[in-house]
């Protein structure tokens, strides 16, 4: 049981699914705002089909997606633009719809290994890092409260 992240940057759909199978992943949670891609195999319908063939559940949580106008800041790590982008996304995670989605994601992670999915290979350049951090905190709070 737990939560990790993965990006499809630089991968084919076959290599991507193989990577998930090797890791024993049973559930992939797509945190792209819009589950579309110009890269073959990574739009919602094609991706969910390829995953289903390998016994991996696909869940799309657009409430945990990053707005298009906030993505550029994630290319940097330590600039004012980077900090602003991350602050804006943190505020988004405080919305009722995002809090609910975070709770659903935490529940999935309580029952099995879940991978949070977006484009960027390096998680430090992707909003999914903040999603995973938030869910990890929820899971740790469960342990403390138990």
């Amino acid at each position: 049981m737990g939560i990790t992240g993965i990006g499809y940057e630089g991968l084919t759909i076959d290599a991507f699914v193989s990577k998930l199978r090797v890791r024993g992943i049973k559930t992939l949670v797509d945190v792209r705002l819009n589950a579309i891609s110009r890269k073959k195999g990574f739009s919602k319908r094609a991706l969910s089909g390829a995953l289903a063939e390998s016994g991996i559940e696909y869940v799309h949580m657009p409430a945990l997606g990053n707005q298009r106008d906030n993505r550029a800041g994630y290319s940097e790590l330590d600039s004012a633009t980077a900090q602003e982008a991350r602050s804006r996304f943190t505020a988004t995670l405080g919305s009722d719809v995002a809090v609910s989605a975070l709770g659903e994601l935490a529940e999935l992670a309580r029952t099995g290994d879940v991978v949070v999915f977006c484009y960027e290979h390096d998680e430090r350049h992707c909003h999914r890092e903040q999603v995973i951090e938030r869910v990890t905190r929820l899971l740790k709070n469960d342990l403390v409260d138990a």
Side-chain angles (χ1 to χ4, degrees):
M1 294 180 278
I3 186 166
T4 58
I6 194 168
Y8 68 95
E9 183 177 17
L11 296 173
T12 64
I13 189 65
D14 291 338
F16 180 76
V17 172
S18 178
K19 219 173 174 178
L20 294 174
R21 290 178 66 210
V22 166
R23 288 172 57 179
I25 299 299
K26 297 294 181 201
T27 306
L28 177 137
V29 177
D30 188 341
V31 294
R32 296 176 295 172
L33 184 62
N34 299 304
I36 57 174
S37 177
R38 287 178 277 187
K39 189 165 185 173
K40 185 178 178 179
F42 290 98
S43 290
K44 185 175 185 171
R45 185 174 293 147
L47 177 61
S48 63
L51 294 173
E53 287 178 14
S54 291
I56 300 170
E57 179 185 10
Y58 172 88
V59 179
H60 184 213
M61 291 190 175
L64 301 178
N66 190 17
Q67 296 293 327
R68 175 177 226 113
D69 66 350
N70 196 47
R71 295 177 191 160
Y74 278 87
S75 66
E76 304 171 23
L77 295 176
D78 295 320
S79 69
T81 303
Q83 292 171 359
E84 181 181 335
R86 285 159 178 81
S87 290
R88 284 182 66 197
F89 186 67
T90 296
T92 299
L93 290 178
S95 72
D96 289 345
V97 68
V99 168
S100 177
L102 288 165
E104 289 175 43
L105 182 50
E107 188 57 36
L108 288 170
R110 283 183 196 99
T111 60
D113 288 329
V114 174
V115 68
V116 177
F117 166 79
C118 197
Y119 172 72
E120 290 79 6
H121 171 73
D122 185 340
E123 208 157 89
R124 297 172 304 153
H125 294 284
C126 183
H127 74 289
R128 75 176 181 270
E129 179 180 49
Q130 289 172 274
V131 170
I132 293 167
E133 287 171 356
R134 189 68 65 99
V135 171
T136 299
R137 260 188 269 142
L138 288 173
L139 296 171
K140 284 181 181 173
N141 285 344
D142 287 351
L143 293 175
V144 171
D145 293 339

